[in-house]
């Protein structure tokens, strides 16, 4: 697939995806959503030795200022449902990606932008970042998982307020509420995200994939998270990396994980 709106840069095993529609504050139009679906889907690029993915927005003003409002006026109820389902499915691909995905939020993360950041495994906010779900201003509600993930991250009380008032919150409040992992000076979001990925890359890769799966299981309907943990634990025990990790501890040396 030819990527038009998502620029991909690969450096030291880290793929940085920059949503690049700066004139529209990186709003997610259909083409951008399809590019995200391609990258995180089964047909996406198979990147040898991929340590993780950083998602950020082009320019200094916005991460992603929402779904592209110019595309969705006049949709019927059925069309809207179909599009919401498609969007949710794409963000599930991000959330279930086997390597860590970190949002480097460099500005406005509104509506679908906040939902994209929440689908990532971790979130770094620059000091100028602003988060919000302003859909009610448009006569809508979030459709890409926002009503569910916001509650999961910050709790029902504050999430309901933000969803009903469309208020934006800044980076410091997002940190205090548990919506983001770290706040850094503006311009250092991607750097911090890469640092975290490098740190995670020193751990056993299969164990990290199992962490992603079991953490996700906590939030999935009908999933027995504790049961998933038991099976994933067993699968880790059968790996060469577990033998290596335990041996390295006993021999007081750094583990050399191979992902097997
Ligand atoms: N879509 C399209 N264009 C956008 C945009 C967006 N979400 N956000 C900003 N832009 C464009 C502006 O129209 C403007 O374009 P020009 O006039 O220069 O051509 C340019 O980006 C710069 O924006 P502003 O001039 O407004 O910049 P300001 O600094 O004054 O304001 C702002 C920044 C972020 C506060 C403001 O742009 C703003 O309020 N933007 C809209 C935020 C928003 O409401 N986002 C949408 C949230 S709702 C669906 C599923 C999901 C969704 C929808 C449908 N279906 C399944 C059907 C999700 C919806 C959302 O995400």
């Amino acid at each position: 697939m030819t990527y038009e709106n998502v620029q991909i840069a690969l450096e030291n095993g880290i793929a940085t995806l920059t949503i690049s529609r700066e004139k529209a504050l990186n709003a997610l139009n259909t083409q951008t959503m399809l590019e995200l679906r391609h990258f995180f889907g089964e047909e996406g690029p198979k990147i040898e030795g991929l340590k993780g993915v950083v998602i950020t927005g082009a320019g200094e003003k916005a991460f992603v200022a929402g779904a592209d409002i110019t595309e969705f006026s006049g949709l019927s109820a059925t069309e809207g449902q179909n599009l919401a389902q498609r969007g949710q499915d794409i963000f599930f691909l991000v959330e279930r990606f086997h390597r860590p995905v970190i949002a480097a939020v460099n500005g406005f993360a509104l509506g679908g932008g906040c939902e994209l950041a929440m689908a990532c495994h971790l979130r770094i906010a620059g000091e100028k970042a602003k988060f919000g779900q302003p859909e009610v201003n448009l006569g809508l509600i979030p459709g890409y998982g926002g009503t569910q993930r916001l509650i999961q991250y910050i709790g029902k009380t504050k999430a309901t307020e933000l969803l009903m008032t469309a208020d934006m919150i800044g980076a410091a409040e997002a940190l205090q509420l548990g919506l983001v992992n770290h706040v850094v000076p503006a311009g250092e979001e991607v750097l911090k995200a890469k640092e975290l990925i490098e740190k995670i890359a020193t751990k056993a890769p299969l164990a990290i994939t199992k962490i992603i799966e079991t953490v996700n299981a906590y939030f999935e309907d009908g999933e027995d998270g504790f049961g998933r943990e038991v099976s994933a634990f067993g699968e880790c025990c059968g790996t060469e990396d577990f033998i290596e990790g335990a041996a390295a501890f006993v021999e007081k040396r750094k583990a050399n994980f191979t992902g097997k």
Side-chain angles (χ1 to χ4, degrees):
M1 175 178 202
T2 309
Y3 289 70
E4 290 170 17
N5 301 328
V6 178
Q7 286 178 0
I8 302 171
L10 187 63
E11 197 184 15
N12 296 327
I14 301 176
T16 302
L17 270 51
T18 305
I19 313 286
S20 299
R21 300 186 68 231
E22 208 176 328
K23 284 190 182 149
L25 301 188
N26 306 321
L28 297 172
N29 64 355
T30 302
Q31 175 64 24
T32 311
M33 290 295 277
L34 293 177
E35 291 172 24
L36 288 173
R37 179 167 76 184
H38 186 267
F39 183 90
F40 289 101
E42 293 209 335
E43 289 168 6
K46 305 279 171 283
I47 302 170
E48 183 91 6
L50 182 68
K51 294 174 184 165
V53 180
V54 179
I55 303 181
T56 193
E60 293 177 4
K61 197 164 165 183
F63 171 70
V64 167
D68 191 318
I69 297 171
T70 61
E71 274 191 351
F72 57 71
S73 65
L75 289 175
S76 70
T78 310
E79 288 168 328
Q81 267 187 28
N82 291 340
L83 281 173
Q85 188 62 61
R86 186 197 67 179
Q88 287 196 6
D89 290 345
I90 294 170
F91 286 7
F92 278 133
L93 291 175
V94 176
E95 190 168 55
R96 294 171 186 164
F97 197 64
H98 62 292
R99 299 280 86 216
V101 184
I102 304 187
V105 182
N106 52 316
F108 291 111
L110 304 176
C114 189
E115 291 171 301
L116 175 60
M118 290 193 290
C120 296
H121 303 130
L122 302 169
R123 283 154 293 285
I124 308 298
E127 278 167 345
K128 288 199 252 167
K130 294 244 183 268
F131 298 83
Q133 295 289 160
E135 286 84 350
V136 291
N137 288 336
L138 303 167
L140 285 175
I141 66 165
Y144 295 163
T147 60
Q148 304 305 297
R149 290 195 182 95
L150 194 61
I151 293 170
Q152 289 165 356
Y153 295 157
I154 71 171
K156 184 176 175 185
T157 305
K158 194 66 188 179
T160 307
E161 181 186 336
L162 293 182
L163 291 162
M164 284 182 167
T165 60
D167 281 350
M168 281 188 222
I169 57 169
E173 191 173 358
L175 181 68
Q176 183 235 324
L177 290 171
L179 184 58
V180 302
N181 297 82
H182 299 276
V183 177
V184 296
E188 293 180 16
E189 303 86 1
V190 171
L191 194 71
K192 178 69 182 174
K194 285 183 171 177
E195 265 174 35
L196 265 178
I197 289 179
E198 288 292 0
K199 184 180 202 174
I200 296 167
T202 64
K203 319 297 176 193
L206 286 171
I208 296 301
T209 303
K210 294 296 173 197
I211 292 286
I212 292 170
E213 285 173 16
T214 48
V215 168
N216 284 345
Y218 178 84
F219 297 107
E220 283 169 17
D221 259 1
E223 270 296 340
D224 170 14
F226 284 99
R228 284 282 288 275
E229 184 182 282
V230 166
S231 348
F233 182 88
E235 283 157 19
C236 288
C237 287
T239 62
E240 289 178 21
D241 277 351
F242 171 54
I243 296 169
E244 165 62 10
F249 177 78
V250 172
E251 293 160 21
K252 300 191 187 303
R253 62 173 173 81
K254 205 164 157 270
N256 179 24
F257 294 119
T258 58
K260 291 182 193 152

